């Protein structure tokens, strides 16, 4: 089934234009991967929700029974996620300005059914990572991995036994190495979709606990 792309026309206007990551090829590939999977979760969290396009999109797939949370380090992006959620009539969405999932671990440990992350994946000097403005959308530091790597150790603690973790990555992030790294923390993963978009080779990775022993 094809779900409509959420309305995000407000992203091209103040206060969001140039301050919030606009939905791009990575965002749309992420949507394609999510609508291919039939999942029935109770809690879904998007880390780095930016425009809010992804969390609004997945709410159309998962429906009103699921509890939605979104975090972003950029306060303007967090506001934009709220606006996008309202514009697209999301059933509910709790939006938190924080670094990854800081402050939420105690509440969420072992309870999250779906974690989504389209991280800042561009290879940049490490010092570019420090901000919380639009540069946080892309600056990924060494191998583009410095921000996503920090989440990898937390994901197994948050996921419910049947939980799923979806991640966007590019070739320069070494997706196969990410899968090996996650295996060491108890998650089994695979590339479920890939696409070349301009100079970027984009991948969607999906991880779970259930198959990690197989
Ligand atoms: C590539 S954009 C993705 C935006 C949106 N999810 C999408 O798919 O279009 C990465 C997002 O992660 C956010 N971000 C970067 N570092 C973060 C961190 N440490 N904690 C939370 N959010 C972060 C950025 O502000 C940005 O909104």
């Amino acid at each position: 089934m094809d779900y409509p792309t959420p309305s995000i026309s407000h992203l091209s206007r103040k206060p969001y234009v140039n301050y919030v990551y606009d939905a791009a090829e990575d965002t749309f590939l992420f949507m394609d991967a999510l609508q291919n999977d039939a999942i029935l979760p109770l809690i879904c969290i998007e880390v780095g929700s930016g425009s809010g396009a992804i969390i609004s999109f997945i709410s159309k797939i998962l429906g009103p029974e699921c509890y939605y949370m979104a975090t972003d380090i950029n306060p303007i992006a967090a506001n934009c996620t709220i606006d996008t959620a309202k514009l697209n009539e999301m059933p509910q969405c709790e939006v938190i300005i924080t670094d990854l999932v800081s402050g939420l671990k105690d509440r969420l440990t072992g309870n999250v059914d779906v974690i989504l992350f389209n991280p800042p994946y561009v290879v940049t000097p490490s010092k570019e990572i420090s901000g919380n403005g639009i540069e946080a959308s892309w600056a990924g530091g060494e191998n583009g991995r410095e921000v996503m790597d920090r989440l990898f150790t937390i994901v197994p603690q948050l996921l419910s036994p049947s939980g799923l973790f979806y991640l966007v990555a590019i070739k320069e992030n070494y997706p196969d190495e990410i899968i090996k790294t996650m295996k060491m923390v108890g998650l089994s993963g695979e590339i479920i979709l890939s696409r070349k978009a301009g100079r970027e080779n984009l991948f969607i990775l999906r991880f779970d606990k259930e198959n990690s022993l197989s």
Side-chain angles (χ1 to χ4, degrees), residues 19-24 26-28 30 46-55 71-74 77 96 98-101 117-121 129 131-139 147 150 168:
Y19 289 96
V20 175
Y21 186 77
D22 202 352
D26 50 337
T27 316
F28 297 123
F30 208 3
E46 182 181 12
V47 180
S49 56
S51 65
I54 293 293
I55 194 81
T71 75
D72 208 291
I73 201 163
N74 173 350
I96 302 119
T98 192
D99 175 29
L100 302 176
V101 289
F117 195 23
N118 179 3
Y121 53 63
I129 296 177
N132 65 351
I134 186 71
E135 69 287 350
S137 299
W138 64 78
V147 180
R150 287 197 294 120
V168 179

Side-chain angles (χ1 to χ4, degrees), residues 30 33-34 37 39 41 43 45 112-119 145 148-149 151-170 173-193 203-214:
F30 208 3
L34 295 173
D37 269 13
I39 31 183
I43 298 183
I45 182 164
V112 187
D113 302 296
V114 177
I115 302 175
L116 310 166
F117 195 23
N118 179 3
R145 287 272 296 272
M148 64 175 100
D149 275 355
L151 187 71
F152 292 165
T153 50
I154 305 169
V155 166
Q157 299 165 39
L158 297 187
L159 277 185
S160 67
S162 58
L164 297 170
F165 170 47
Y166 293 88
L167 176 78
V168 179
I170 55 171
N173 306 144
Y174 301 109
D176 292 336
E177 192 192 284
I178 294 175
I179 290 171
K180 281 187 196 145
T181 304
M182 296 303 270
K183 190 90 188 162
M184 287 192 282
V185 294
L187 293 187
S188 157
E190 60 180 331
I191 293 167
I192 55 167
L193 205 56
F203 298 89
I204 309 296
L205 281 63
R206 182 184 58 208
F207 298 89
D208 65 44
K209 282 182 174 172
E210 284 186 337
N211 295 324
S212 61
L213 299 177
S214 60

Side-chain angles (χ1 to χ4, degrees), residues 3 31 34-35 37 39 56-63 68:
Y3 294 86
M31 290 181 189
L34 295 173
Q35 76 176 359
D37 269 13
I39 31 183
S56 295
F57 181 76
I58 201 166
S59 75
K60 302 292 177 228
I61 302 174
L62 306 181
Y68 298 96

